[in-house]
């Protein structure tokens, strides 16, 4: 069909460097990048989602550099808005 199912996306993401993203987060991202609700992603949609994940990782890493707890960050609303804007 030329589309990746959610399970196909889960299998493909480690090859794109996102094997650490949990299944719930992937399902949520798939829904966000599947506007026609076909329960699968076209190549364009998959690429858009992986670019979003890359931008989200970069924004997260920028805040994580000053975090006392590895892999966790704390944001106030202004920081959240800033970080979210970097994912677009």
């Amino acid at each position: 069909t030329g589309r990746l199912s959610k399970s196909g996306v889960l299998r493909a993401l480690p090859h794109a460097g996102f094997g650490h993203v949990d299944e719930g987060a992937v399902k949520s991202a798939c829904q966000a990048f599947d506007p026609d609700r076909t329960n699968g992603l076209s190549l364009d949609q998959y690429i858009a989602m992986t670019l979003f994940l890359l931008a989200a990782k970069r924004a997260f890493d920028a805040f994580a550099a000053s975090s006392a707890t590895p892999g966790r960050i704390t944001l106030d609303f202004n920081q959240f808005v800033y970080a979210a804007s970097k994912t677009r």
Side-chain angles (χ1 to χ4, degrees), residues 46-57:
Y46 174 77
I47 290 170
M49 187 183 79
T50 57
L51 289 173
F52 161 76
L53 290 173
L54 179 60
K57 181 176 179 348

Side-chain angles (χ1 to χ4, degrees), residues 10-71:
L10 283 167
R11 287 191 307 274
L13 282 177
H15 299 287
F18 296 105
H20 61 285
V21 180
D22 71 42
E23 186 174 344
V26 171
K27 285 182 179 181
S28 181
C30 283
Q31 287 176 343
F33 286 89
D34 180 22
D36 49 358
R37 302 294 185 240
T38 60
N39 290 319
L41 298 180
S42 67
L43 179 60
D44 290 347
Q45 291 167 332
Y46 174 77
I47 290 170
M49 187 183 79
T50 57
L51 289 173
F52 161 76
L53 290 173
L54 179 60
K57 181 176 179 348
R58 286 182 178 155
F60 180 89
D61 289 347
F63 285 96
S66 62
S67 174
T69 308

